[in-house]
């Protein structure tokens, strides 16, 4: 197995801040949400393996990112460890306001989302990365499915429709087509790079593909809360969402009864951090090198055994 040579900052960063607590109900498994992208799988499995070392049983529950919040609010799922606030539905805030979920603080990732393209597309669409250039070269991106509009590959449907919303707000002549999965987004990116064909997609970082494929982001109008609330803000006076994603906060949440049932686990997850410089290479090990999420997470936890032990001790002793 490859050694995961990472910074060690992730699991150690807040280890000294936890308060000693009882383990609580170790007979009941802690159910962690698994969403639809590799980075989230790694974040969750590293946390799960730390909880297991502390003495808990962990179950991983496949859950749609957009519809998992009521299940967490009702205690059917107990935690989600990588929530991106740029792309959470109103449903989340409803559950939060009702007291069904508790936020445990930021995860630690430095994140960005936006319209992205591989570097060679700048030769196909001169004027990029300026967003206005897309008005003049949309037909370069057209397919039989979208003509006379260009094709914009949006997030999978379970993640929402941020590409469609921004294309409409900016009145770009593009039709947003949802990707089937994260893997489908990568397949499109790989094919475009190998063939030199045009591609515009909604994408994010941290992700190993950003560096592997020299992925670049379109310079959209600055994303501000006002742009999403007031149509007069932004280039289109008749629409909201005519701007970039808001700066993204990535945070952790649990069911509101979590800390009562598993006090030490709540301390561990509050302290737990995952940094961009750690997650991104691990994603490449899974998606490029063929390693499983479980073995990459296990290698990371093993490589940082002292930091993990310190985190557990801070929470339990």
């Amino acid at each position: 197995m490859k050694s995961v040579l990472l910074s060690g900052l992730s699991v150690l960063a807040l280890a000294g801040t936890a308060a000693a607590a009882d383990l609580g109900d170790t007979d009941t498994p802690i159910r962690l949400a698994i969403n639809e992208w590799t980075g989230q799988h790694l974040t969750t499995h590293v946390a799960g393996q730390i909880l297991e070392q502390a003495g808990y049983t962990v179950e991983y529950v496949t859950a749609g990112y957009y519809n998992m919040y009521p299940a967490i609010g009702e205690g059917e799922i107990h935690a989600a460890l990588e929530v991106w606030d740029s792309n959470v539905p109103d449903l989340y805030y409803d559950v939060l306001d009702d007291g069904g979920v508790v936020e445990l603080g930021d995860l630690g990732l430095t994140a960005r989302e936006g319209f992205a393209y591989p570097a060679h597309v700048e030769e196909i669409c001169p004027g990029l990365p300026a967003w206005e250039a897309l008005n003049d070269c949309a037909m370069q991106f057209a397919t039989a499915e979208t003509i006379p509009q260009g094709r914009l590959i949006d997030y999978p449907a379970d993640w929402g429709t941020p590409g469609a919303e921004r294309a409409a707000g900016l009145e770009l002549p593009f039709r947003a087509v949802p990707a089937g999965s994260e893997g489908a987004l990568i397949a499109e990116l790989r094919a475009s790079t190998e063939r030199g064909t045009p591609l515009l997609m909604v994408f994010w970082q941290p992700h190993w593909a950003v560096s592997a494929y020299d992925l670049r982001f379109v310079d959209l109008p600055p994303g501000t809360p006002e742009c999403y609330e007031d149509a007069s803000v932004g280039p289109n006076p008749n629409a909201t969402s005519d701007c970039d994603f808001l700066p993204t906060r990535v945070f952790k949440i649990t069911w509101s009864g979590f800390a009562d049932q598993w006090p030490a686990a709540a301390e561990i997850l509050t302290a737990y951090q995952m940094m961009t410089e750690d997650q991104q290479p691990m994603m490449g090990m899974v998606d490029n090198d063929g390693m499983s999420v479980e073995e990459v997470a296990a290698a990371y936890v093993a490589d940082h055994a002292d930091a993990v032990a310190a985190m557990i001790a801070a929470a339990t002793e």
Side-chain angles (χ1 to χ4, degrees):
M1 181 186 296
K2 295 184 179 180
S3 178
V4 184
L5 299 176
L6 303 171
S7 71
L9 291 175
S10 291
V11 295
L12 183 59
L14 296 178
T17 67
D22 293 332
L23 288 177
D25 180 13
T26 57
D27 293 330
T28 300
I30 297 173
R31 296 165 60 85
L32 303 180
I34 293 291
N35 300 139
E36 300 88 352
W37 66 98
T38 302
Q40 195 273 352
H41 296 182
L42 287 160
T43 292
T44 305
H45 277 268
V46 169
Q49 291 188 25
I50 294 171
L51 290 175
E52 288 174 341
Q53 286 198 22
Y56 296 103
T57 301
V58 174
E59 292 181 359
Y60 300 96
V61 181
T62 299
Y65 178 75
Y66 245 53
N67 57 25
M68 67 180 172
Y69 302 105
I72 298 174
E74 294 171 5
E76 296 175 10
I77 298 172
H78 301 130
L81 298 179
E82 191 174 316
V83 179
W84 292 50
D85 75 349
S86 61
N87 201 32
V88 292
D90 291 340
L91 181 61
Y92 166 69
Y93 296 104
D94 293 340
V95 178
L96 180 66
D97 290 343
D98 288 342
V101 301
V102 174
E103 294 187 4
L104 293 187
D106 291 352
L107 175 63
L109 294 179
T110 301
R112 180 180 181 182
E113 297 177 88
F115 287 3
Y117 58 89
H120 71 268
V121 173
E122 291 186 358
E123 299 177 6
I124 300 171
C125 185
L128 285 174
W131 71 272
E132 296 91 342
L134 296 171
N135 286 303
D136 299 325
C137 58
M139 281 296 294
Q140 298 287 349
F141 297 85
T143 66
E145 180 183 11
T146 68
I147 198 167
Q149 296 176 302
R151 181 181 67 151
L152 167 65
I153 302 178
D154 211 341
Y155 281 158
D158 283 351
W159 302 6
T161 57
E165 293 161 10
R166 284 163 181 77
L170 291 165
E171 297 185 319
L172 289 171
F174 278 76
R175 177 181 170 188
V177 179
S181 63
E182 178 185 2
L185 287 168
I186 298 303
E188 291 275 3
L189 184 54
R190 182 178 294 114
S192 172
T193 300
E194 292 174 352
R195 300 170 187 169
T197 52
L199 176 68
L200 183 68
M201 64 199 310
V202 184
F203 209 75
W204 70 96
Q205 65 178 47
H207 200 289
W208 62 267
V210 173
S211 56
Y213 292 103
D214 194 7
L215 201 65
R216 303 180 182 183
F217 286 90
V218 176
D219 291 334
L220 296 173
T224 65
E226 293 77 17
C227 174
Y228 291 93
E229 299 166 359
D230 184 350
S232 68
V233 177
N236 184 354
N238 300 311
T240 55
S241 301
D242 51 337
C243 56
D244 209 344
F245 286 78
L246 293 170
T248 299
R249 174 184 172 230
V250 185
F251 59 98
K252 305 161 288 186
I253 64 172
T254 66
W255 164 53
S256 58
F258 190 97
D260 290 335
Q261 189 160 353
W262 302 287
E267 296 291 343
I268 289 168
L269 294 185
T270 299
Y272 174 61
Q273 296 275 276
M274 176 59 69
M275 303 299 182
T276 300
E277 59 266 31
D278 288 352
Q279 190 194 75
Q280 201 152 271
M282 287 197 288
M283 294 170 72
M285 293 173 191
V286 174
D287 290 343
N288 281 339
D289 300 338
M291 298 174 68
S292 71
V293 168
E294 293 81 2
E295 66 180 330
V296 172
Y300 176 81
V301 172
D303 283 349
H304 300 92
D306 290 345
V308 169
M311 174 182 283
I312 294 171
T316 59
E317 296 180 2

